[in-house]
Amino acid sequence: GPDGVGDWLDRERGVAFGHTRLTIIDLISGAQPLRSRDGKYALVVNGEFYDYKRIRSELMTEGAKFSTKSDSEIALHLYERHGLDMMPMLRGEFAFALYDFERDQLVLVRDRFGIRPMFYHLTESACYFGSEVKVLLQHPDVPKKLDRKAALNQLMHTMVPGTSAFEGIHALEPGHMLILKQRDGRLEVTKQRYWDLEFPEKDQRDLSLTADDHIQAVREKLVEAVVHRLEADVPVGCYLSGGIDSCCILGMASGAMQSPVKAFTISFDSDAYDESPIAREMAASVGADQDIIHLQADDLYGPNFIRTVWHAERTFYNTLGVAKWCMSRHVRDAGYKSVITGEGSDELFGGYPAFRRDMFLHGIAEEPDDVKRELQAALEKSNALVKGAILAENSREHAAFEELCGFTPSWIQPWLDTLDLARPLLAGDVLEELEDYDPVAAIAGTLDPAMIRNRHPLDIAQYTWSKTMLEGQILNWGGDRVDMANSMESRPAFLDHHVAETAVQVPPNLRIRGNIEKWVLREAVRGVLPEVLYRREKFAFMAPPAHTDEKKKARVSSLIETYLNPDEVTEAGVLDPARITSFVDGYRTDRDPVSLTRKDALLNHLLCLQILHAHLIRGDALPG
């Protein structure tokens, strides 16, 4: 929403669609649900299909008759001609439901990376689905209960793909379709993958391509993706941090626009975490119209924290999600409904510190040991601020990942340390119920070994992260859920699948070259970056944790008193009140920065879990 509401119900078939519309393309005639002219198909879409004008023109030459100018309508006509084989033709970020009257078939589809959400609950005879869990919880046939296994996974920061925080409610995996048919009062359910982030096997790379070939290919596909995402019937802005991802997006968007691009930037009240000075330099270099929102303790905690949990419908480890919620509200207040963002660059081009660690440990066997040690030492020094959350201070292993990958990816290692802290905080009956449950093995068990076998270690690290943390974290409480909370659509250009299919062909040593992450991307966009950005090392974009100043400590203490008091903990039934009190006491007296970073992350998850119970299960009104 909030620009339109529509519904369609066929009582005889037992099918109902509902839609709340945010108007971005075709502001007049694009109301949903959409029906085909012959009445054979019905459709509801969340998101965008790009390159739709070309596709619509081609379909019209084949005799298709369109009722709207909406991008969504192309899915009806493509399905009519190609059935589910149409999926390679759809480009963008989307989730949709399509009902086929002739086959009495319902199809739920989610985009390739899971940028747009899709949740569902199944019984023997029915399927309930929607873009948010909270709408499913309104139905009497859907259980209203936190999932205990999911609670433990959230506390260790890594959800099992395909799950939600709630019992019996599933997330449709990215790049998948759920196909449902009715047979004698029962549902036949089939899940089908139509796309995956497929790195070539080691012996299948095209070694004839030069570094310049890869640089040019990345540049062309990325420019194309940005230009497609500027297509709208409303103004489109850009999110701008101090990283090269959003900066190069702004640079390319500025080149494609006739007028200055509106750039929105977050500024924090901590110099160690504030990237706005670099963002200012980038905005000035391309003549962008920059709008900076300044966030402090009162913005990141209190009511905004609670509302962000309510919209995210899962826990988070850092208040970056709260900051993004504040930003999306600010963007809407500034009159914008859509922005292009930089998510996905690190996943595709090896940007995260954990990827570099795996490259140094497992991916450069040909280099001398002293070179490896030197590279790793430089990495550890430059990322000292995020040890305990982004990087583990000590090497950890887990049998499930060792068997699947041949090593335990560095991105999950800090959360193994968090799991050691989190499990003892569960209530006694929950501990007993989950005694044999291994949340790490559960994650590894969802990953396709065929996509990991015979791949380079850097490919493996990027793939496993993208199948878990990208969809479950970055595109959730750092993306769509907090953007659409304020009816503002984000468009991550790097996650265009044409960009992704180009990126996976880039050899590992061109993604990470020496100690330089995203080297091929830096070279591809060098012309639009100021020199300081071209040479800048990746810095994890995070909000300052609660322990970093007294105001944040006071604000988080208020949340603790409200949601982690013994009565609230006892009622929610997931955590042990006495052990939670002991953990909070230890957190308040801890002075070790690495330990505090880890405990800050866990404390946020604990608060979020209790907030989910209070406001989504019990149904308490949101504050303010």
Side-chain angles (χ1 to χ4, degrees):
D3 300 329
V5 177
D7 59 68
W8 164 73
L9 171 66
D10 187 316
R11 291 187 180 277
E12 182 180 348
R13 299 283 186 127
V15 184
F17 282 177
H19 190 270
T20 56
R21 188 173 184 222
L22 176 66
T23 53
I24 302 289
I25 292 174
D26 186 3
L27 309 186
I28 298 172
S29 66
Q32 296 194 41
L34 292 166
R35 295 289 305 278
S36 59
R37 285 172 175 258
D38 58 12
K40 291 181 180 179
Y41 315 112
L43 175 75
V44 280
V45 181
N46 171 27
E48 302 291 349
F49 298 133
Y50 299 116
D51 202 19
Y52 71 96
K53 290 181 178 178
R54 177 190 62 80
I55 295 172
R56 185 173 64 198
S57 295
E58 290 180 357
L59 289 167
M60 290 178 69
T61 64
E62 297 172 6
K65 304 295 184 183
F66 280 77
S67 302
T68 75
K69 294 292 186 179
S70 166
D71 60 297
S72 297
E73 192 178 352
I74 65 170
L76 283 175
H77 298 280
L78 288 173
Y79 180 80
E80 182 178 25
R81 285 157 176 75
H82 305 285
L84 294 178
D85 291 337
M86 72 173 175
M87 291 312 302
M89 306 171 197
L90 294 178
R91 179 177 192 171
E93 46 266 359
F94 50 80
F96 66 84
L98 189 150
Y99 181 69
D100 182 328
F101 281 80
E102 290 185 329
R103 293 181 175 87
D104 194 13
Q105 174 178 281
L106 174 69
V107 185
L108 307 181
V109 182
R110 195 172 182 200
D111 66 60
R112 293 165 177 85
F113 285 100
I115 300 163
R116 301 292 174 239
M118 172 72 83
F119 296 98
Y120 65 94
H121 171 73
L122 292 173
T123 68
E124 286 190 354
S125 58
C127 174
Y128 309 95
F129 60 94
S131 295
E132 298 187 60
V133 168
K134 59 182 68 69
V135 70
L136 301 186
L137 295 176
Q138 298 305 308
H139 199 285
D141 289 350
V142 179
K144 205 169 185 179
K145 185 179 180 182
L146 291 176
D147 186 288
R148 290 177 163 189
K149 290 180 178 177
L152 183 57
N153 274 100
Q154 289 174 95
L155 294 180
M156 71 156 288
H157 191 62
T158 314
M159 293 283 283
V160 177
T163 66
S164 78
F166 301 87
E167 190 173 289
I169 296 179
H170 309 279
L172 183 59
E173 292 92 333
H176 279 73
M177 302 181 288
L178 196 71
I179 304 165
L180 305 106
K181 296 181 180 181
Q182 298 187 74
R183 292 286 186 273
D184 301 322
R186 298 171 66 90
L187 282 183
E188 290 183 358
V189 182
T190 305
K191 189 183 293 183
Q192 181 178 326
R193 183 174 68 189
Y194 67 88
W195 190 88
D196 205 352
L197 183 66
E198 186 171 358
F199 289 88
E201 296 188 33
K202 291 178 182 178
D203 54 357
Q204 292 181 346
R205 287 197 176 277
D206 184 352
L207 301 180
S208 68
L209 297 174
T210 66
D212 286 343
D213 292 332
H214 289 291
I215 291 166
Q216 183 63 28
V218 168
R219 181 185 297 125
E220 289 177 358
K221 292 301 181 184
L222 190 52
V223 168
E224 185 181 284
V226 171
V227 170
H228 277 310
R229 281 158 182 77
L230 289 169
E231 176 69 40
D233 294 330
V234 296
V236 178
C238 288
Y239 276 164
L240 176 65
S241 68
I244 70 167
D245 314 328
S246 61
C247 288
C248 72
I249 294 293
L250 175 65
M252 286 180 283
S254 297
M257 297 279 282
Q258 296 298 105
S259 56
V261 177
K262 188 78 169 181
F264 297 94
T265 298
I266 294 171
S267 172
F268 293 119
D269 59 352
S270 168
D271 290 343
Y273 292 86
D274 185 23
E275 296 187 315
S276 63
I278 299 176
R280 284 192 189 95
E281 184 168 342
M282 178 65 204
S285 74
V286 295
D289 177 14
Q290 190 178 26
D291 186 338
I292 301 177
I293 178 174
H294 302 277
L295 299 178
Q296 302 179 17
D298 288 347
D299 302 301
L300 298 178
Y301 296 94
N304 291 345
F305 188 102
I306 298 163
R307 286 184 175 276
T308 301
V309 179
W310 190 82
H311 284 290
E313 299 175 338
R314 63 141 303 158
T315 70
F316 46 78
Y317 83 104
N318 181 261
T319 53
L320 171 61
V322 187
K324 293 288 292 289
W325 181 88
C326 294
M327 173 59 92
S328 67
R329 180 179 59 180
H330 181 79
V331 170
R332 274 310 304 255
D333 289 345
Y336 281 73
K337 292 181 177 182
S338 186
V339 295
I340 308 179
T341 69
E343 286 89 3
S345 166
D346 293 307
E347 282 74 15
L348 296 179
F349 296 103
Y352 292 117
F355 295 162
R356 273 192 286 161
R357 180 185 273 183
D358 287 338
M359 184 71 163
F360 303 155
L361 290 176
H362 312 292
I364 51 174
E366 69 281 0
E367 294 290 343
D369 289 343
D370 60 334
V371 172
K372 297 178 188 178
R373 285 193 294 269
E374 183 179 338
L375 289 169
Q376 189 167 345
L379 171 68
E380 306 295 329
K381 181 179 180 181
S382 61
N383 286 277
L385 193 67
V386 294
K387 268 197 175 179
I390 303 300
L391 286 176
E393 66 272 29
N394 299 305
S395 179
R396 293 290 303 266
E397 294 181 355
H398 191 283
F401 273 97
E402 293 290 325
E403 181 178 353
L404 178 68
C405 304
F407 64 99
T408 301
S410 291
W411 65 261
I412 201 170
Q413 291 185 32
W415 309 121
L416 299 180
D417 291 331
T418 305
L419 177 61
D420 292 341
L421 278 177
R423 190 187 281 271
L425 301 179
L426 298 176
D429 63 319
V430 181
L431 277 173
E432 185 176 347
E433 179 183 329
L434 302 186
E435 181 179 4
D436 297 324
Y437 176 64
D438 184 340
V440 183
I443 296 163
T446 67
L447 303 174
D448 184 356
M451 293 292 136
I452 293 172
R453 192 179 301 117
N454 199 31
R455 265 67 174 195
H456 187 277
L458 180 59
D459 300 346
I460 294 171
Q462 290 178 221
Y463 179 82
T464 54
W465 166 282
S466 296
K467 302 303 290 185
T468 52
M469 303 291 277
L470 175 62
E471 183 267 341
Q473 300 281 344
I474 293 167
L475 298 177
N476 177 289
W477 55 262
D480 176 272
R481 308 308 297 281
V482 291
D483 291 328
M484 288 298 286
N486 291 298
S487 299
M488 202 284 299
E489 177 189 74
S490 51
R491 298 176 166 189
F494 282 103
L495 295 180
D496 185 292
H497 74 281
H498 293 271
V499 176
E501 289 168 357
T502 301
V504 297
Q505 299 300 324
V506 176
N509 67 344
L510 297 184
R511 279 175 263 148
I512 297 177
R513 193 168 198 175
N515 211 1
I516 302 173
E517 81 282 358
K518 295 187 285 194
W519 181 84
V520 69
L521 175 63
R522 291 173 190 269
E523 297 303 312
V525 300
R526 186 171 188 174
V528 299
L529 295 178
E531 190 68 13
V532 65
L533 266 167
Y534 168 74
R535 299 193 178 280
R536 188 180 186 230
E537 183 179 351
K538 165 71 182 179
F539 179 78
F541 185 42
M542 294 170 57
H547 73 268
T548 55
D549 70 59
E550 294 304 318
K551 287 184 178 179
K552 292 183 181 64
K553 289 179 184 177
R555 296 296 284 165
V556 83
S557 287
S558 178
L559 288 171
I560 290 170
E561 290 168 10
T562 302
Y563 293 101
L564 288 178
N565 67 70
D567 290 341
E568 282 291 305
V569 172
T570 299
E571 182 183 326
V574 176
L575 305 169
D576 180 271
R579 289 193 282 268
I580 290 296
T581 299
S582 177
F583 170 79
V584 171
D585 290 343
Y587 167 77
R588 285 171 167 158
T589 58
D590 199 340
R591 296 295 179 266
D592 178 76
V594 175
S595 174
L596 273 171
T597 298
R598 178 172 298 113
K599 288 178 180 176
D600 253 318
L602 180 53
L603 177 61
N604 283 329
H605 285 302
L606 293 167
L607 286 167
C608 293
L609 198 62
Q610 290 292 119
I611 290 168
L612 289 175
H613 169 78
H615 297 285
L616 283 166
I617 302 299
R618 193 168 64 204
D620 292 1
L622 293 172

